[in-house]
Amino acid sequence: MISSRAILGIFLVTAAAILELSAQAPVESLEYQLKARAIKALVFFTDFPPGTRGAGPWVVGVFGKSPIADQLIGLFLPGALIKGRSVQVTFPKTREEGDKVDLLFVSRSEKARMPELFKQVKGKPILTVVDLNEAKDLEPIVNLAIEQDKVKPE
């Protein structure tokens, strides 16, 4: 689902963002600015299965409390298009709302619920991204870990 081209694109976007933002923001703010840009790159470079979502907007869901929400809203401004489609940032509260997203970002605040969430999205065309350095045991699709003050997609 995610090609080597996509991973290279994510790396390049993240590297450019590090250079651009490192002198401008506090550490936590910088971290979430970089993670938001990595998510934008994931939406851009990921080919979702044909016919799974139709021609509507890309829907990026943020589950749990996270500073990334404001960063994503700032990146996906109204009218901006990715692959000819607008992007909508949502905050799903129920399983049904979560099933309507293309990409689900699960924040650190939901660490205890991650295994349950992964069972709910398993087999569905939802790219799951987590914000947890020790998420390897939970088998997310993409983990945006912090390593040596850098965002590292795993």
Side-chain angles (χ1 to χ4, degrees):
M1 188 163 176
I2 299 176
S3 67
S4 58
R5 178 178 159 230
I7 292 175
L8 176 62
I10 293 165
F11 173 78
L12 292 174
V13 167
T14 303
I18 289 170
L19 294 174
E20 179 182 335
L21 299 172
S22 61
Q24 299 177 17
V27 173
E28 183 178 85
S29 177
L30 175 62
E31 173 185 344
Y32 287 99
Q33 288 176 23
L34 294 174
K35 288 181 178 184
R37 288 175 184 232
I39 288 172
K40 184 176 183 178
L42 281 170
V43 172
F44 186 80
F45 287 106
T46 300
D47 292 323
F48 290 88
T52 56
R53 294 287 184 214
W58 298 109
V59 181
V60 176
V62 178
F63 191 78
K65 292 187 175 194
S66 174
I68 202 165
D70 290 334
Q71 301 297 330
L72 289 170
I73 291 168
L75 275 179
F76 297 122
L77 297 172
L81 301 177
I82 293 182
K83 295 183 181 178
R85 294 169 61 185
S86 63
V87 181
Q88 176 184 4
V89 179
T90 65
F91 302 91
K93 303 272 188 273
T94 66
R95 182 178 188 169
E96 292 76 25
E97 290 173 355
D99 285 346
K100 295 177 183 174
V101 304
D102 296 296
L103 184 146
L104 181 64
F105 178 86
V106 183
S107 73
R108 292 178 189 158
S109 69
E110 302 304 315
K111 179 180 177 180
R113 295 184 58 197
M114 283 186 190
E116 172 192 342
L117 290 167
F118 293 140
K119 285 180 189 174
Q120 290 176 3
V121 299
K122 188 173 184 170
K124 296 178 181 169
I126 298 172
L127 179 58
T128 308
V129 180
V130 298
D131 182 22
L132 196 63
N133 285 344
E134 62 274 0
K136 289 180 184 176
D137 295 337
L138 298 174
E139 300 179 24
I141 301 296
V142 179
N143 180 31
L144 297 178
I146 298 295
E147 186 175 291
Q148 298 177 358
D149 298 327
K150 293 185 174 107
V151 176
K152 177 185 171 193
E154 299 180 320

